[in-house]
Amino acid sequence: MATRKILLKGEKALNSHCRPVTEFNDRLHTLLDDMKETLVQSGGVGLAAPQVGVLRRIVIVLETNVENEGDEYMIELINPEIIFEEGEQTGPEGCLSLPGKYGIVSRPDRVRVRAQDRNGNSFEVEGEHLTARCFCHELDHLEGVLFTERAERMLTPEELEQD
Ligand code: ZN
């Protein structure tokens, strides 16, 4: 495993539509393992393939709705699509490709995603609260959409200092 460089806003890959994954081979597995290591090292909660320069429909999401922090685990989503959503949450959101920037974004509070695993098997997974936000944010990356396009407003430096 190796970490990969996270691209920052302004790089063309972050505004690109990503293509579906069609081959579930060693190359995909290496990419997934690298993305997981990169996410762990970054301290983020989600990472999409275009953020490491790969224009394919692949995201990693950290499931944080667990009892103990040590129980957190990563969900690999290949060719994901949201098939159900419910409720609404409005709150601060950030992105590893825009370090230090946060905006107020409204997202569904619960979503169900259909995806494939690293071997091509279909599955469904549900997320709520932060995990639902993360699913939506990462899937937006696959369409080349950054949270700044969805934010009602960005947090000011004064607001950021209060945290
Ligand atoms: Zn992001």
Side-chain angles (χ1 to χ4, degrees):
M1 286 204 284
T3 57
R4 303 212 182 186
K5 186 169 162 249
I6 297 177
L7 301 182
L8 300 179
K9 189 182 179 194
E11 297 266 8
K12 210 171 138 226
L14 295 174
N15 300 111
S16 305
H17 175 88
C18 296
R19 298 183 303 279
V21 171
T22 53
E23 295 197 47
F24 297 81
N25 53 18
D26 285 350
R27 203 163 158 214
L28 172 68
H29 297 175
T30 301
L31 172 64
L32 286 163
D33 292 341
D34 287 357
M35 284 175 67
K36 283 158 102 171
E37 190 169 329
T38 305
L39 183 57
V40 168
Q41 204 177 59
S42 70
V45 289
L47 186 67
Q51 291 181 279
V52 294
V54 177
L55 298 182
R56 293 285 180 174
R57 305 186 77 77
I58 302 165
V59 310
I60 306 281
V61 169
L62 185 67
E63 173 56 272
T64 54
N65 294 320
V66 291
E67 239 164 73
N68 306 303
E69 204 178 308
D71 295 338
E72 291 180 352
Y73 59 95
M74 293 193 204
I75 307 168
E76 300 176 353
L77 301 168
I78 322 286
N79 300 327
E81 50 181 326
I82 291 173
I83 55 171
F84 171 82
E85 57 180 65
E86 163 178 273
E88 191 182 64
Q89 56 176 318
T90 300
E93 190 168 313
C95 178
L96 293 172
S97 294
L98 288 91
K101 300 240 187 288
Y102 293 88
I104 301 297
V105 184
S106 293
R107 301 284 193 184
D109 196 44
R110 194 160 76 90
V111 300
R112 173 169 276 266
V113 175
R114 181 180 294 146
Q116 286 168 281
D117 67 16
R118 59 166 62 204
N119 297 312
N121 302 308
S122 293
F123 69 100
E124 292 182 9
V125 59
E126 261 185 31
E128 50 179 17
H129 315 316
L130 177 60
T131 307
R133 175 179 293 282
C134 198
F135 282 152
C136 296
H137 176 112
E138 301 309 330
L139 265 65
D140 272 353
H141 273 300
L142 305 182
E143 308 304 332
V145 174
L146 298 176
F147 80 91
T148 44
E149 292 176 49
R150 299 211 184 267
E152 291 161 23
R153 64 180 183 85
M154 298 301 288
L155 295 187
T156 62
E158 290 74 29
E159 286 174 308
L160 287 173
E161 264 176 38
Q162 287 167 10
D163 291 331

